[in-house]
Amino acid sequence: MSSPFLLKPCDAKVTQAIKNLNATFNGINTGEDETSSLNTGASQGVTEGSTEARNRNVAKPLSGLGLAVKDLFDIEGLPTAAGNPDWLATHPVPKSTNSCVASMLKAGAAFKGKTITDELAYSLHGQNKHYETLVNPAAPAHIPGGSSSGSAVAVSAHLADIGLGTDTGGSIRVPSSYQGLWGLRTTHGAIPCDNMVALAPSFDTVGWMTRDLDTLSKVANVCLDSAAQSDIPNKPRLGIATHLFEQIAHKSLCQTWLNAFEDSNNCIALSETRLDLNTLQTAATFRTLQGNEIWQQHGEWIENTQPNIANDIMLRLDWCKTITTQDVEEAKAQRTVVINHLNVLFEEIDVLVIPTTPGVAPRCDADETTLANDRNALLALTAIAGLAGLPQLHLPLFTLHNAPCGLSLVGKKGNDLALLALAKTLTTR
């Protein structure tokens, strides 16, 4: 199986930077043998500096949990490549660490390495031509999903316990679905996006993936400000987007699961007219606004550097350049329509239940047309939370044709922790 880790311990600067991280955040010294395990996936052994340091580390909420970090997050002393060698060559080694990474390390998480991402994070498929192809451990014949694919693979392959990533257009939710992981896209703005490579700031969020809900919740309690969170009623009104479930490959699995708790929960079936994604133009609206911001962020660098970027991503970047002011204004107006529509909907429901993806991951040998169609279908679903800045939690409940899939809970802004609590209730009944 290919390694999702980008950094190798043979680089003396990298080795020293990892030692510095351990010393700074956990008060421990890591020996040479243990440093090697950071990138090979072996269990990390740690030489404690003192009994006091050992006791202090055990008490931390993320103690003993390995952390894989998407290569968009800056970490002091470690290069950030954003999935592209030309980006790496034209940007200095960071002198600061992203605040979310720092919080997790301070909470005792053991840094395992930085992970491969799709170039500039502008994809949902987890395929990067510059690095060895990532294998989806849960379904090797299928793509891993992107762009937080490396972090997802690290967790799915038990090389790490926490996969830190970003979600702009679905890059936490999609790999979580494709690899059978729990995944949380947080409320937009709930976690600062400092010291990291942006894609489209109006949509960029920090998120993470784990193999179990308890670990996902532990990370959430470390990274989210509980004072800024809001509750969901004890008996929430669950709005089931029935027409969306009818359109997906795993509809029978979803329906069976939903039917099982329908009698004991306040479920409201939402007809197509209540959430018509075609009429709301979720995919097209998101694509235009995201594309415009991407070009604002990276257009100058692309034109000046002429980087070597995969053809499919470069085609989308070239299209981003053509987006007009009128296109943006029309898309902003439609985004307002979508937000207003969802606000009205959330007056009648507390949580929206939707498919995360249209089905299992496409096969590795899928042609470009199939992958493009998959991306378009994904965006229609993922843009619901994206356009409105809402939190979305993926539940890895099902397997279809030996590949994972699931569904999602979407809440109001600030419902992140409440969604986790609800998911625990729904999955332990």
Side-chain angles (χ1 to χ4, degrees), residues 102-122:
S103 294
M104 295 171 74
L105 294 175
K106 288 176 183 176
F111 178 69
K112 294 287 187 176
K114 297 187 75 176
T115 61
I116 295 171
T117 176
D118 293 9
E119 294 178 87
L120 302 181
Y122 194 21

Side-chain angles (χ1 to χ4, degrees), residues 304-355:
N304 290 340
T305 306
Q306 296 293 305
N308 180 9
I309 292 179
N311 290 338
D312 63 320
I313 295 177
M314 198 64 231
L315 284 172
R316 291 198 296 276
L317 289 169
D318 288 339
W319 172 78
C320 291
K321 184 179 180 180
T322 70
I323 298 172
T324 66
T325 301
Q326 182 178 351
D327 293 334
V328 173
E329 292 305 314
E330 291 175 353
K332 285 182 177 179
Q334 187 59 34
R335 181 184 187 180
T336 300
V337 170
V338 172
I339 292 173
N340 289 340
H341 184 89
L342 290 172
N343 286 341
V344 171
L345 187 63
F346 272 104
E347 291 177 0
E348 303 174 32
I349 66 173
D350 299 302
V351 176
L352 176 63
V353 185
I354 62 172

Side-chain angles (χ1 to χ4, degrees), residues 8 34 38 65 85 117 121 124 127 143 167 192 216 373 387 396 421:
K8 302 301 178 183
E34 290 76 25
L38 292 174
L65 297 175
T117 176
L124 290 172
Q127 298 170 320
I143 65 173
D167 188 307
L216 198 79
N373 290 338
L387 289 168

Side-chain angles (χ1 to χ4, degrees), residues 24 37 66 88 90 94 100 109 123-124 152 157 175 185 203 215 227 275 283 318 330 340-341 419:
T24 299
S37 72
L88 177 65
T90 55
C100 185
S123 182
L124 290 172
R185 169 208 157 89
F203 304 105
T215 302
L275 192 64
D318 288 339
E330 291 175 353
N340 289 340
H341 184 89
L419 286 178

